[in-house]
Amino acid sequence: MAELPSTQATGKRKTAVARVRLTAGSGTIVVNGRSLEDYFRRESQRILIKEAFEAASAADRYDVVAQCKGGGSSGQAGALRHGIARALEKLDPDLRAPLKRKGFLTRDARKKERKKYGQKGARARFQFSKR
């Protein structure tokens, strides 16, 4: 199968959105104009992002240029992994099975629950006094 020169995909997590461009290359990852190590300081987040490549056995075959917006660093890392997985699937449909098995193609729908009126928080209530 002839590989496409590049592809784009969007990944989402919490309130973060990552626009990912995948091109054939040596495995460099650039996020918002900065290197992966510079943008994501935590090693756990860098490992999370690279999981999609490891599941597809494509660690050093593609370069990634991504734009991340919204949310915090954890949400952006999850959004980036989701975007990379979707882009890999676009490039090679045969990778769908291993990526789907690991759950990288499924959008994590968990978001912060809203605060309700008449309450202290989303679930927390004001203290009740019987007397």
Side-chain angles (χ1 to χ4, degrees), residues 27-31 34-37 40 46 49-50 53 59 62-66 80 84:
T28 57
I29 301 174
V30 177
V31 184
R34 293 156 60 185
S35 70
L36 183 71
E37 289 74 22
F40 291 103
R46 294 195 292 264
I49 291 162
K50 292 177 183 176
F53 285 120
Y62 300 104
D63 289 340
V64 177
V65 177
L80 189 54
I84 290 170

Side-chain angles (χ1 to χ4, degrees), residues 5-78:
S6 71
T7 188
Q8 282 185 300
T10 305
K12 294 180 179 182
R13 168 89 170 89
K14 293 187 177 182
T15 58
V17 179
R19 285 175 31 218
V20 178
R21 177 180 281 281
L22 215 64
T23 53
S26 60
T28 57
I29 301 174
V30 177
V31 184
N32 291 352
R34 293 156 60 185
S35 70
L36 183 71
E37 289 74 22
D38 190 35
Y39 194 79
F40 291 103
R41 296 279 184 197
R42 285 187 173 171
E43 183 66 28
S44 59
Q45 291 172 341
R46 294 195 292 264
I47 291 167
L48 180 90
I49 291 162
K50 292 177 183 176
E51 278 180 337
F53 285 120
E54 289 163 16
S57 302
D60 297 325
R61 291 195 322 204
Y62 300 104
D63 289 340
V64 177
V65 177
Q67 283 297 122
C68 289
K69 286 184 178 178
S73 61
S74 174
Q76 287 185 357

